């Protein structure tokens, strides 16, 4: 079953639509810097993943196809037929799934800090179980070095806290279900089927989806572009928004 997703819309109602898909353990606030940069020219739709933020929690495991179906149900409800899409991590995996499922609806695609198959698939079921038992709190300390570098956190403590607050607020079942979707995701042999004009962006210091993993996506999608953000880890759109926004501007506008 699809989950009813919470969404925030910004920008002119008659402008081209850009959908922004968040990373695991974050919410619509992950994209504040992109809204500030693009809402004057695009209608931006930000959503919370199922079981995240203000979206519906659906118990039990789900697949990336389920998460993509959630997004399509949201867009149908909003009356959005054709759209461009930019997603971070699991949001980027949802973008790949959308490109394979509804190519006729997708204009341009940006995949940020994501993978065609995420590292160590069995570990995601283990993480899901631990989150169900303990909540997301045990993950907080490991987000420094994963979501953002320690140097960035020292320079931007308020922003680091804002991102970690999103993780703290994520319902355990929502986080766990999305972990299971990540563990089962593998479209490595289908990248050549993606027809949307695609930009891929990696954080140079990202240990979760390394530049090599992002490069693999770019190499597999016909004519895809590849960019690396120096000094950024797993959430480059939040920690290096100027660099990411410029790349998105060239690709989407």
């Amino acid at each position: 079953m699809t989950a009813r997703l919470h969404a925030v819309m910004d920008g002119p109602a008659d402008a081209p639509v850009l959908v922004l898909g968040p990373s695991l353990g974050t919410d619509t606030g992950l994209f504040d810097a992109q809204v500030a940069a693009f809402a004057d020219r695009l209608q931006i739709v930000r959503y919370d993943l199922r079981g995240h933020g203000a979206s519906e929690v659906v118990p039990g495991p789900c697949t990336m196809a389920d998460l993509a179906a959630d997004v399509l149900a949201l867009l149908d409800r909003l009356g959005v037929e054709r759209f461009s899409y930019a997603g971070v991590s699991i949001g980027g995996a949802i973008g790949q799934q959308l490109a394979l499922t509804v190519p006729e609806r997708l204009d341009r695609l940006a995949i940020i800090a994501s993978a065609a198959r995420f590292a160590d698939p069995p570990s995601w079921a283990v993480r899901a179980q631990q989150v169900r038992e303990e909540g997301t709190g045990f993950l907080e300390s490991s987000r420094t070095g994963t979501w953002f570098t320690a140097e960035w956190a020292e320079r931007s403590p308020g922003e680091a806290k804002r991102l970690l607050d999103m993780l703290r607020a994520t319902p355990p079942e929502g986080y766990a279900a999305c972990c299971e979707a990540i563990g089962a995701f593998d479209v490595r042999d289908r990248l050549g089927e993606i027809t949307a004009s695609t930009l891929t962006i990696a954080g140079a210091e990202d240990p979760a989806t390394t530049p090599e993993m992002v490069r693999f996506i770019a190499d597999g999608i016909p004519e895809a572009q590849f960019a690396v953000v120096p000094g950024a880890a797993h959430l480059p759109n939040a920690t290096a928004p100027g660099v990411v926004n410029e790349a998105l501007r060239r690709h989407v506008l």
Side-chain angles (χ1 to χ4, degrees):
M1 61 176 290
T2 58
R4 187 175 179 88
L5 301 187
H6 168 255
V8 180
M9 301 178 73
D10 297 276
D14 58 348
V17 174
L18 174 62
V19 180
L20 298 176
S23 177
L24 182 67
T26 69
D27 59 32
T28 57
L30 179 66
F31 294 107
D32 286 355
Q34 283 66 56
V35 172
F38 299 118
D40 59 335
R41 284 159 291 177
L42 297 171
Q43 184 178 28
I44 297 177
V45 178
R46 294 177 282 169
Y47 67 87
D48 289 329
L49 297 161
R50 69 162 61 185
H52 287 59
S55 288
E56 180 184 10
V57 177
V58 178
C62 63
T63 65
M64 210 62 69
D66 294 328
L67 299 179
D70 292 347
V71 175
L72 290 173
L74 167 68
L75 296 177
D76 290 345
R77 195 169 79 239
L78 297 176
V80 173
E81 176 59 31
R82 191 163 179 86
F83 57 94
S84 293
Y85 183 97
V88 180
S89 192
I90 190 174
I94 292 170
Q96 294 170 71
Q97 190 70 53
L98 289 168
L100 293 165
T101 305
V102 288
E104 72 283 358
R105 295 181 65 173
L106 188 61
D107 186 10
R108 294 180 177 271
L109 174 63
I111 300 167
I112 303 167
S114 191
R117 185 185 75 157
F118 289 82
D120 193 7
S123 71
W124 292 96
V126 175
R127 187 191 296 194
Q129 182 62 29
Q130 190 171 359
V131 168
R132 285 190 173 104
E133 293 173 354
E134 302 178 29
T136 59
F138 77 92
L139 293 162
E140 285 183 34
S141 62
S142 65
R143 296 310 86 189
T144 299
T146 302
W147 278 6
F148 40 75
T149 65
E151 293 78 10
W152 180 86
E154 289 175 8
R155 294 195 308 270
S156 308
E159 186 67 0
K161 180 182 181 300
R162 187 179 76 89
L163 293 169
L164 291 173
D165 284 345
M166 297 179 196
L167 177 65
R168 296 184 190 105
T170 301
E173 181 57 34
Y175 189 101
C178 287
C179 283
E180 288 160 335
I182 289 172
F185 181 67
D186 187 353
V187 294
R188 290 173 297 175
D189 62 350
R190 299 193 64 194
L191 293 173
E193 301 173 34
I194 293 177
T195 56
S197 176
T198 302
L199 167 68
T200 65
I201 300 175
E205 307 301 323
D206 184 359
T209 53
T210 63
E212 292 75 20
M213 294 168 72
V214 180
R215 165 73 83 173
F216 182 90
I217 301 173
D219 288 346
I221 298 175
E223 299 183 19
Q225 303 172 59
F226 174 69
V228 178
V229 182
H234 195 52
L235 301 180
N237 68 297
T239 62
V243 177
V244 172
N245 288 349
E246 182 54 35
L248 288 174
R249 182 176 290 109
R250 291 195 300 268
H251 184 62
V252 176
L253 293 181

